[in-house]
Amino acid sequence: MFISERRKFIFGALVSAGLIAVGTQWGCAPAAPTANGVGGTAARQGKTVELLNVSYDPTRELWTDLNAAFSEQYQKDAGVTVKIKPSHGSSGTQAQSILNGNAADVATLSIWSDTEQLHKGGLLKDGWEDRLPNRSLPYTSTVVMVVRKGNPKGIKEWADLVEKDGVEIVTPNPKTSGNGKLSLLAAWGSVILGGGSEEDATKFITKLYQRVPKLDTGARGATTTFSQKGVGDVHLTMESEAYLEVEEAKGQLEIVYPSISILHEPHVAVVDQVVDKKGTRDVAEAYLKSLYTPAGQEIIAKHHFRPTDPEILAKHKSDFQEIKLFALTEVVKGGWAEAQTKFFADQALFDQIVKPSNKTGK
Amino acid sequence: MHTSRAVGHKPGTTGHGSHTEPAWVRWLLISCAIAVISILVIIPVVNVFYQALANGFDTYRHQLLDDAETRHAIWLTLTVVPVAVVLNTIFGVAVAWAVTRFQFPGRTILIAFIDLPFAISPVVVGLMIMLMFGRLGIWGPTLEHWGIKIVFAYPGLVLATTFVTLPFVARELIPVMEALGADEETAAVSLGANGWQMFWRITLPNIRLGLLYGVILCNARAMGEFGAVRVVSGGISGETDTMPLRVEKLFQEYELPESFAVASVLTLLALVTLIAKTLLEHQTQQQLARADDEQAET
């Protein structure tokens, strides 16, 4: 009898403890986001402001450094402690998550059309692109090639990818990955700007994707496939990722710069609806502006993204091999909107070339 | 599931069939089983620990405790899981009670619906929650108006985990309560016990092993939940990353040793669960044997 009484008590105690836990957690969690809601900079002196930066995949290391630098500077200048929380994922997924209510103070996505989605969804005001210097581009990048040590297949140019014998190519799926989209468009542009017709370019990318054994969904997945699983002869990837990958491989991989490639323009934006609601606009704007300062640009260069400040870029000239970089609009007139419908939408060009048996697109 | 079978049969009456198969068939089957288990289960599990501890225990400890985001992920899992388990325990007991003690229209459909979370892919569960509670979801505008955050915050994680692990406790209890029948409870009520007294003194002691078993399974599944939680978490480091999400993130950040360290903790928790489950089964069998003996004596 004594034992069962005691057990009963313990069980009851556990249940009530659990219920209390539920109560407090559910009660507190919703309150947290509104806690920073009121007050301008003056009212925040000595307090902590939290910012959420929703970004794309291959920028984790970059933002870790940029965030630390900004927090330190802002503490000095305004006496406010800023804590920046990062969220990373593939660019399209991240845009979706912001649209669904992930309260990002700033969106630093990979592809213009993803940021534009936020504008269409009413989260960004009109003209968002012109609110920060250089069309809201603190840095740019490009697509390069990573090959095995000594470049055994002799890959130097885009044409080599389909002309050299038995080349296996690793690149992520353009439908899900910004990196994948850029790789496809870089290959496409290399043909068009080399004087080829759209038909030639279609043939070229068809052959190219026939040589891709597996399409990973994200950029990091493709990197793992190439560098750690040892699949393929060449990996098409962003310049910044390529440097990381080569450093990580300790001499087993090297970078090849083709003579021409695409200019990657990852725009940054303050998410108007979120910052106005949270009352964090001043901090969020200061945060993005800090990217354009010499200190911010130096950090960007250190992580192998191309600084947009001409002076800092010139200083790091040796790190960024000069190749011909073309803007997307030079090869796809309508920019990202057209690229999306022409290449990546359902049954668009990419679906047709990876499924040659599928006749519905013709 | 084991408990229900153990309740139904006396130990010793199942298994141990006569060995009619030729020896080579037996050995072939046994070695196949061992080979499959080794390749698919034992070697990978051991490897996780090997990789995690490859650089010594000190490094391992640093990998787990030096990174604030990893610490937060461990803490988050340890706070999300108990809440989900408690919610499911309450739900499980209530629903098992309802379907085994009462006849009502829609009872069969209710039982079928309990199993639904087993059948739906966790990713879809995540999307379902998003379509309900996200900014663009059905309740989105209302929640935004009241300043309540569900998705991309703690409540969303609890909701996703609870949904995915909903069937465990109920599924364990329904057969147990069906087998027990309502006789003892009816007797208690006829002797003047109120509802609470009957529940605490009669029902709960009778079902406690089944209940505990369900809780353990629910707990194990809740800790490992990835798909649904990933969709609703928004991947905010140091805020909504649970342990399984942290493992993936570390892996993608090329932090392989750290990734294996967190993975090893998750695996360790799974092993603890396994041991608890085995001990419990052992205890159940002993108790049944004792009950049988007593019955035989009287």
Side-chain angles (χ1 to χ4, degrees), chain B residues 51-64:
Chain B
Q51 295 283 355
L53 293 166
N55 296 321
F57 188 77
D58 256 8
T59 330
Y60 178 72
R61 212 188 53 208
H62 285 302
Q63 281 160 355
L64 279 180

Side-chain angles (χ1 to χ4, degrees), chain B residues 18-285:
Chain B
S18 53
H19 302 301
T20 50
E21 300 86 1
W24 67 269
V25 172
R26 260 187 287 142
W27 283 113
L28 189 72
L29 287 175
I30 292 169
S31 34
C32 275
I34 290 175
V36 169
I37 296 278
S38 311
I39 293 168
L40 289 182
V41 182
I42 298 173
I43 295 175
V45 167
V46 171
N47 188 42
V48 166
F49 287 101
Y50 175 77
Q51 295 283 355
L53 293 166
N55 296 321
F57 188 77
D58 256 8
T59 330
Y60 178 72
R61 212 188 53 208
H62 285 302
Q63 281 160 355
L64 279 180
L65 299 178
D66 285 1
D67 186 338
E69 288 171 3
T70 300
R71 279 201 311 267
H72 186 272
I74 296 172
W75 167 245
L76 190 62
T77 290
L78 293 179
T79 46
V80 167
V81 170
V83 176
V85 170
V86 167
L87 288 175
N88 276 331
T89 306
I90 296 168
F91 167 81
V93 172
V95 85
W97 188 285
V99 301
T100 56
R101 296 293 179 263
F102 305 104
Q103 291 291 333
F104 53 90
R107 181 174 165 272
T108 328
I109 297 176
L110 180 65
I111 297 178
F113 267 103
I114 296 169
D115 280 344
L116 206 58
F118 273 151
I120 303 177
S121 158
V123 176
V124 180
V125 173
L127 285 176
M128 279 165 27
I129 293 173
M130 196 66 92
L131 291 175
M132 291 297 291
F133 303 105
R135 196 179 73 97
L136 306 175
I138 297 173
W139 301 107
T142 320
L143 292 168
E144 206 170 329
H145 177 75
W146 291 102
I148 298 169
K149 230 170 138 42
I150 304 271
V151 287
F152 309 116
Y154 181 86
L157 301 177
V158 172
L159 212 59
T161 311
T162 309
F163 190 102
V164 171
T165 55
L166 191 74
F168 284 96
V169 176
R171 271 286 133 206
E172 283 306 314
L173 285 184
I174 290 171
V176 173
M177 290 183 69
E178 232 154 35
L180 284 168
D183 295 351
E184 288 185 30
E185 286 155 10
T186 317
V189 173
S190 71
L191 291 171
N194 66 28
W196 273 128
Q197 285 173 322
M198 177 192 72
F199 178 75
W200 289 111
R201 299 203 181 166
I202 307 295
T203 315
L204 195 62
N206 277 338
I207 64 168
R208 65 175 197 278
L209 287 175
L211 182 66
L212 205 53
Y213 192 77
V215 166
I216 288 172
L217 286 180
C218 180
N219 187 58
R221 180 72 183 75
M223 279 188 307
E225 174 46 32
F226 177 81
V229 163
R230 193 181 160 168
V231 177
V232 300
S233 93
I236 308 167
S237 299
E239 192 167 312
T240 60
D241 271 349
T242 59
M243 272 166 82
L245 299 184
R246 187 73 192 149
V247 170
E248 192 213 18
K249 201 165 262 188
L250 286 168
F251 185 74
Q252 289 191 336
E253 284 174 27
Y254 303 105
E255 314 258 10
L256 287 189
E258 287 81 358
S259 172
F260 277 115
V262 182
S264 74
V265 176
L266 261 180
T267 314
L268 201 67
L269 291 170
L271 288 177
V272 170
T273 309
L274 189 75
I275 292 166
K277 186 182 134 251
T278 314
L279 286 177
L280 199 65
E281 268 166 17
H282 186 67
Q283 208 195 346
T284 319
Q285 301 234 324

Side-chain angles (χ1 to χ4, degrees), chain A residues 267-293:
Chain A
H267 295 269
V268 299
V270 169
V271 184
D272 296 301
Q273 209 208 36
V274 174
V275 293
D276 286 343
K277 206 171 148 201
K278 284 170 68 176
T280 48
R281 176 176 286 281
D282 51 345
V283 188
E285 277 173 358
Y287 174 48
L288 290 189
K289 278 180 187 147
S290 78
L291 307 175
Y292 294 91
T293 62

Side-chain angles (χ1 to χ4, degrees), chain A residues 112-351:
Chain A
W112 179 86
S113 50
D114 289 329
T115 314
E116 179 58 18
Q117 282 295 323
L118 305 180
H119 171 230
K120 281 186 192 148
L123 294 168
L124 297 185
K125 288 182 187 155
D126 291 345
W128 62 268
E129 205 180 325
D130 299 319
R131 283 205 310 233
L132 285 163
N134 195 31
R135 286 173 39 240
S136 295
L137 289 168
Y139 57 89
T140 61
S141 190
T142 185
V143 174
V144 300
M145 302 168 180
V146 178
V147 296
R148 307 263 170 224
K149 184 184 180 182
N151 197 358
K153 302 270 172 162
I155 297 160
K156 294 200 175 68
E157 277 299 338
W158 290 99
D160 296 335
L161 296 178
V162 300
E163 281 163 13
K164 295 268 158 105
D165 280 338
V167 172
E168 273 197 330
I169 303 159
V170 174
T171 178
N173 190 339
K175 297 197 75 160
T176 51
S177 155
N179 187 325
K181 285 186 175 66
L182 286 160
S183 299
L184 186 148
L185 293 167
W188 174 271
S190 74
V191 177
I192 300 285
L193 294 178
S197 65
E198 293 220 341
E199 216 168 292
D200 297 333
T202 309
K203 271 187 201 145
F204 181 77
I205 57 170
T206 308
K207 275 191 216 149
L208 194 157
Y209 281 92
Q210 277 165 357
R211 291 180 156 197
V212 177
K214 179 186 170 233
L215 285 167
D216 286 285
T217 48
R220 285 276 154 110
T223 306
T224 311
T225 300
F226 184 73
S227 65
Q228 276 160 30
K229 295 182 189 155
V231 174
D233 304 299
V234 55
H235 176 203
L236 308 180
T237 188
M238 308 307 303
E239 188 176 32
S240 54
E241 282 281 271
Y243 274 98
L244 279 185
E245 189 177 348
V246 168
E247 276 162 27
E248 194 80 9
K250 299 185 177 77
Q252 293 308 300
L253 300 174
E254 45 192 75
I255 294 180
V256 169
Y257 276 94
S259 60
I260 181 169
S261 191
I262 196 164
L263 178 65
H264 176 215
E265 301 187 320
H267 295 269
V268 299
V270 169
V271 184
D272 296 301
Q273 209 208 36
V274 174
V275 293
D276 286 343
K277 206 171 148 201
K278 284 170 68 176
T280 48
R281 176 176 286 281
D282 51 345
V283 188
E285 277 173 358
Y287 174 48
L288 290 189
K289 278 180 187 147
S290 78
L291 307 175
Y292 294 91
T293 62
Q297 293 280 302
E298 282 290 344
I299 295 174
I300 285 166
K302 192 185 114 198
H303 286 274
H304 310 291
F305 289 87
R306 297 186 172 219
T308 47
D309 182 333
E311 267 176 44
I312 310 283
L313 183 63
K315 218 173 116 189
H316 293 272
K317 215 173 163 188
S318 58
D319 297 334
F320 300 104
Q321 195 171 319
E322 232 176 290
I323 60 173
K324 185 177 172 351
L325 294 177
F326 60 87
L328 175 65
T329 44
E330 289 178 52
V331 295
V332 182
K333 293 275 171 290
W336 278 108
E338 189 190 334
Q340 185 62 32
T341 48
K342 185 170 175 176
F343 295 98
F344 310 120
D346 268 341
Q347 298 310 326
L349 197 72
F350 181 72
D351 276 349

